[in-house]
């Protein structure tokens, strides 16, 4: 799609299109779509909806912007590759925040901060970031972490319980307070890196993008590091784990060029207009 064609791509049409892409892959639709979701999975959708409602109420969700044109090809490819591994539809939303960031919530929503599009150096770095986030959803990492935190933070939970909420509501409240500092362990992050690289490889986006992103951050200012890296900003372990994964699975990864000079440029229109969802 042309970079400078300022066609309005609304969130809803993006969702509809990614939905079609995920269901129309030629293999007769999403795996497991005919199965009854377990109560836990419904809870994930509920948590995701609560976070969405809150971000919408805060006026952060971008309903339409030419920036969606840059995001859409990556979101579509990723959805196609990752959807068989998760039982709620992945949906990508641009949000307006100052720190470049991306985060995924249970239920399949992936939020991409607009400034991240200006921050990444190439298409592969953005794809790698989103593949990593989607993998947290596939692994149910957020729910697991919130369950742990729920044990620890009785005060917040206590306040919520007075209102007679569901467990999903309690977990969503916890999640909202921690959207930008989820504090996953290094192992959880590494696991998301590996699954993310698998997802990226399946889309055809060079999975070395995530490694390039790590390398770029060695010299970046701490305040400008996206959250997915800020917990372990100079984490050679994560890079080594990825490189080992690439070596061990050369049939999948051998065809990708490790040289960042081979990257695809990522061009975004400057000062792109944004209309917000209300
Ligand atoms: Zn992460």
């Amino acid at each position: 799609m042309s970079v400078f064609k300022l066609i309005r791509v609304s969130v809803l049409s993006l969702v509809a299109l990614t939905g079609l892409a995920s269901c129309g892959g030629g293999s007769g639709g999403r795996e497991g779509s005919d199965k009854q979701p377990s109560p836990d999975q419904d809870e994930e959708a509920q948590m995701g909806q609560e976070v969405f409602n809150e971000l919408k109420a805060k006026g952060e969700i971008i309903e339409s912007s030419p920036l969606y044109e840059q995001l859409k090809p990556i979101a579509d490819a990723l959805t196609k590759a990752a959807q068989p591994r998760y039982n709620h539809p992945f949906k990508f939303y641009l949000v307006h925040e100052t720190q470049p960031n991306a985060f995924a919530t249970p239920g399949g929503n992936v939020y991409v901060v607009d400034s991240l599009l200006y921050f990444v150096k190439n298409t592969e770095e953005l794809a790698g970031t989103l593949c990593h986030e989607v993998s947290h959803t596939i692994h149910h990492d957020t729910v697991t972490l919130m369950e742990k935190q729920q044990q620890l933070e009785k005060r917040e939970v206590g306040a919520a319980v007075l209102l007679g909420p569901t467990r999903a509501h309690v977990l969503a409240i916890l999640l909202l307070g921690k959207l930008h500092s989820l504090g996953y362990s290094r192992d959880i992050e590494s696991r998301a890196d590996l699954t993310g690289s698998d997802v990226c490889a399946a889309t055809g986006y060079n999975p070395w993008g995530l490694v390039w992103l790590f390398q770029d951050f060695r010299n970046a200012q701490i305040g400008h590091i996206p959250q997915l890296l800020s917990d372990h900003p100079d984490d050679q372990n994560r890079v080594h784990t990825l490189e080992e994964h690439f070596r061990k699975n050369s049939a999948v990864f051998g065809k990708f060029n490790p040289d960042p000079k081979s990257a695809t440029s990522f061009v975004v229109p400057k000062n792109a207009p944004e209309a917000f969802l209300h």
Side-chain angles (χ1 to χ4, degrees):
M1 220 181 287
S2 162
V3 166
F4 294 105
K5 261 190 192 169
L6 303 184
I7 297 169
R8 282 165 54 101
V9 179
S10 76
V11 167
L12 289 176
S13 69
L14 178 79
V15 166
L17 287 166
T18 53
L20 281 174
S22 66
C23 294
S27 60
R30 203 149 58 81
E31 277 174 40
S33 56
D34 53 341
K35 289 180 198 153
Q36 284 282 47
S38 78
D40 273 358
Q41 286 157 347
D42 281 340
E43 195 171 64
E44 291 202 2
Q46 237 178 301
M47 278 175 77
Q49 187 62 47
E50 297 215 19
V51 172
F52 178 90
N53 293 346
E54 182 69 20
L55 290 172
K56 185 182 158 192
K58 281 160 73 184
E60 288 190 16
I61 298 179
I62 299 168
E63 182 179 29
S64 67
S65 168
L67 292 175
Y68 271 109
E69 293 213 25
Q70 269 61 51
L71 179 64
K72 193 179 176 304
I74 302 174
D76 285 353
L78 229 135
T79 300
K80 210 170 168 182
Q83 196 62 76
R85 305 177 69 163
Y86 191 64
N87 71 329
H88 292 291
F90 283 114
K91 297 173 189 171
F92 290 77
Y93 297 96
L94 284 166
V95 288
H96 180 72
E97 291 181 4
T98 48
Q99 291 290 93
N101 197 13
F103 49 94
T105 66
N109 288 350
V110 183
Y111 299 96
V112 185
V113 175
D114 47 6
S115 58
L116 182 68
L117 270 55
Y118 293 94
F119 183 86
V120 293
K121 286 193 172 165
N122 51 59
T123 303
E124 291 81 1
E125 288 186 356
L126 180 61
T129 306
L130 301 186
C131 287
H132 171 98
E133 292 303 326
V134 160
S135 299
H136 279 310
T137 302
I138 291 172
H139 296 154
H140 310 283
D141 287 337
T142 311
V143 180
T144 310
L145 185 68
M146 290 307 107
E147 280 170 347
K148 271 188 205 156
Q149 303 252 342
Q150 194 189 353
Q151 317 295 325
L152 300 172
E153 305 194 19
K154 300 275 193 223
R155 200 162 56 92
E156 281 174 69
V157 175
V161 165
L162 290 177
L163 305 169
T166 61
R167 199 183 82 111
H169 182 69
V170 173
L171 295 178
I173 287 172
L174 283 177
L175 175 55
L176 278 165
K178 294 175 195 307
L179 270 183
H180 302 97
S181 56
L182 276 171
Y184 292 126
S185 70
R186 186 171 292 181
D187 286 350
I188 299 284
E189 292 295 6
S190 236
R191 204 160 67 101
D193 290 342
L194 297 192
T195 300
S197 71
D198 293 342
V199 170
C200 263
T203 64
Y205 286 110
N206 190 337
W208 283 93
L210 199 53
V211 174
W212 300 338
L213 195 66
F214 278 114
Q215 288 163 347
D216 286 346
F217 286 128
R218 295 232 178 96
N219 300 316
Q221 286 177 287
I222 291 293
H224 295 134
I225 295 176
Q227 200 265 326
L228 92 145
L229 299 166
S230 61
D231 289 342
H232 315 287
D234 189 20
D235 199 335
Q236 266 306 107
N237 287 336
R238 285 174 68 182
V239 171
H240 286 323
T241 307
L242 271 169
E243 286 174 343
E244 205 186 319
H245 184 63
F246 295 168
R247 258 197 309 275
K248 278 187 189 160
N249 301 282
S250 58
V252 175
F253 296 99
K255 60 176 180 257
F256 294 105
N257 191 340
D259 187 347
K261 289 197 188 92
S262 69
T264 317
S265 63
F266 186 71
V267 184
V268 274
K270 285 218 162 41
N271 304 315
E274 298 178 332
F276 292 90
L277 194 63
H278 290 294

